[in-house]
Amino acid sequence: MSLVVSGLAKRYGATAVFSNVTLQVEPGEFVAIVGESGVGKSTLLNCLAALDDWSEGSVALDGTDLGRLDDSARALWRRQHVGFVFQAFHVLPHLDVAQNVGLPLLLLGQPDDARVAAMLEAVGLAGLGQRLPQQLSGGQLQRVAIARALVHRPALVLADEPTGNLDPTTATRVMDALVRQTRDQGASVVLVTHSEAAAARADRVLHLSADGIRAG
């Protein structure tokens, strides 16, 4: 599924966060978005996930115009088509690793222990399914977050500074897992990051500023 963003703008009152953002991400393509702090990279990602509203323009995935969906329809669309990797992990502390990873499948009414186990193995966490999040390192928690984002095989993967809290070696392992799994699944990937090393893994790097987006 192609992600198509046309003339997107976000304002808070008279203050523009960004404007005139136009881009297209093809299936299997990995795009990194970089820019100065405060320029709205995370806000843009939230708009692409229809977690936040925008002031102008459109966001569409495979022809579905997200601006035309109400809140319930957006939530269902995200559940079916989007995997979101957060910098702060956002794992549920009272669930074990396997339960955290399997949550998207459970919400879709498609629990699949075998798929969860295969995904944990794919990101290097085989045998850790019964551990609680507090028993894991930061790098392991981020790989749990990646496994959770990918287990339902979404068409669109959005990653918000997924290596921001990690040391360089662990960050490389996390990016290896993200790149490998999204490539295998043919997902469209948008990564926002301050990390040059993380951005270098993408097929394209785009620079976001207040007045638009341009190729790196």
Side-chain angles (χ1 to χ4, degrees):
M1 293 185 179
S2 295
L3 173 69
V4 180
V5 181
S6 301
L8 203 69
K10 174 69 176 179
R11 289 188 296 272
Y12 292 109
T15 302
V17 181
F18 54 77
S19 60
N20 195 33
V21 172
T22 295
L23 65 99
Q24 184 164 339
V25 185
E26 298 297 338
E29 187 179 20
F30 188 167
V31 173
I33 297 176
V34 300
E36 300 295 327
S37 296
V39 78
K41 297 187 299 298
S42 293
T43 300
L44 174 59
L45 213 62
N46 286 337
C47 289
L48 301 187
L51 287 166
D52 199 353
D53 290 319
W54 47 94
S55 306
E56 295 175 7
S58 63
V59 179
L61 183 69
D62 198 33
T64 298
D65 185 343
L66 304 187
R68 296 181 179 272
L69 304 181
D70 62 21
D71 288 345
S72 296
R74 287 185 179 190
L76 180 59
W77 173 83
R78 280 192 298 271
R79 189 178 300 173
Q80 294 173 330
H81 300 298
V82 178
F84 209 119
V85 183
F86 300 92
Q87 179 178 356
F89 317 138
H90 290 307
V91 298
L92 299 178
H94 59 284
L95 298 182
D96 66 27
V97 166
Q99 290 169 331
N100 267 286
V101 172
L103 191 57
L105 295 172
L106 189 64
L107 292 173
L108 288 170
Q110 301 169 1
D112 189 333
D113 291 344
R115 190 189 294 188
V116 170
M119 183 57 65
L120 286 174
E121 183 173 3
V123 299
L125 297 176
L128 301 184
Q130 304 308 308
R131 292 196 184 183
L132 291 172
Q134 56 265 37
Q135 297 174 296
L136 302 184
S137 67
Q140 288 172 327
L141 285 171
Q142 190 58 284
R143 281 182 279 162
V144 171
I146 290 171
R148 180 185 57 196
L150 299 178
V151 71
H152 59 304
R153 298 170 184 163
L156 176 64
V157 176
L158 304 173
D160 190 1
E161 295 281 7
T163 62
N165 291 323
L166 306 176
D167 65 82
T169 299
T170 304
T172 297
R173 291 174 182 164
V174 164
M175 286 302 301
D176 286 345
L178 180 61
V179 171
R180 182 173 59 250
Q181 290 307 305
T182 51
R183 291 273 193 259
D184 289 348
Q185 295 188 17
S188 301
V189 185
V190 180
L191 163 78
V192 300
T193 185
H194 285 103
S195 167
E196 292 183 3
R201 304 293 295 271
D203 300 314
R204 285 190 289 146
V205 179
L206 303 177
H207 289 258
L208 180 67
S209 62
D211 58 358
I213 197 165
R214 59 180 174 80

